[in-house]
Amino acid sequence: MKKFLAAVILSFMLMFGGEVEAADYYSAIYQTVNRYNGNEVECDWITRAILYASSEYQVDPILITSIMEAESEFNFHATSAVGAVGLMQLMPSTAASLGVNPHNPLENVIGGTIYIKNQLGRFQNWGAYSVTDAVAAYNAGPGAVEKHGGVPNYSETVHYVIKVANNYKNLLTLIQS
């Protein structure tokens, strides 16, 4: 299962080649956000927040968007049964450790971006599975990924990793068309 999950995410990332214009990112992200949120002002704000956080923290905007789509479907007011809040579904304790207010939309996007960047860094030496493991850590926590030596065999986490990979693939398709 781990090899399949890694192959899914990495194959999508490897499909992405060459330089992409900022306008292409904007259009693809905006179009994806708009499928869930028909408010043009909010769609523009979310798209710009993703691109800002991506640029500021050097994280792939397509990955940020794919995670946000899986987490909240771009809903500013999303909450989970376990207490995660906002667009990037930050737990209050995680947000506090990152120094952000999870109820502030921009800080939520920045916090989620920093958190996935931290996971990418934490698992960067795990070889071909590093991105998959980082995405799994965003969902299940890095301790669970380390304890299991990769993506934990939790149904929620396995489905989450696949969902993020599918979101990523769909965004790449929009950019490449």
Side-chain angles (χ1 to χ4, degrees):
M1 176 62 81
K2 181 177 178 179
K3 288 182 182 180
F4 168 74
L5 296 173
V8 169
I9 286 184
L10 291 173
S11 68
F12 296 141
M13 293 182 161
L14 293 174
M15 284 186 341
F16 186 78
E19 291 296 312
V20 175
E21 297 292 323
D24 294 336
Y25 280 119
Y26 179 91
S27 295
I29 294 168
Y30 183 95
Q31 188 174 343
T32 300
V33 174
N34 193 48
R35 280 188 297 197
Y36 298 93
N37 180 340
N39 181 310
E40 291 178 14
V41 172
E42 290 183 5
C43 291
D44 178 68
W45 187 94
I46 292 168
T47 301
R48 291 179 188 280
I50 290 167
L51 292 172
Y52 169 77
S54 167
S55 175
E56 189 70 21
Y57 296 97
Q58 299 301 296
V59 176
D60 178 2
I62 302 304
L63 182 59
I64 297 168
T65 305
S66 298
I67 289 170
M68 189 184 296
E69 183 177 4
E71 290 290 343
S72 70
E73 295 181 343
F74 310 104
N75 179 350
F76 284 96
H77 308 291
T79 57
S80 76
V82 297
V85 297
L87 293 162
M88 297 292 283
Q89 288 292 278
L90 295 177
M91 292 297 291
S93 60
T94 301
S97 74
L98 297 169
V100 299
N101 175 356
H103 298 284
N104 175 302
L106 183 56
E107 289 186 38
N108 190 284
V109 175
I110 289 170
T113 301
I114 293 169
Y115 191 71
I116 190 59
K117 180 181 176 108
N118 290 347
Q119 301 320 307
L120 289 164
R122 187 173 192 154
F123 295 102
Q124 71 183 350
N125 294 324
W126 284 41
Y129 308 120
S130 62
V131 174
T132 303
D133 293 330
V135 170
Y138 193 97
N139 177 262
V145 174
E146 289 170 345
K147 177 182 174 186
H148 290 88
V151 176
N153 195 21
Y154 308 155
S155 178
E156 176 187 334
T157 303
V158 169
H159 287 102
Y160 178 82
V161 169
I162 292 169
K163 185 173 190 174
V164 171
N166 286 333
N167 293 347
Y168 199 99
K169 176 187 172 203
N170 292 337
L171 279 154
L172 285 181
T173 300
L174 288 174
I175 288 172
Q176 293 172 343
S177 60

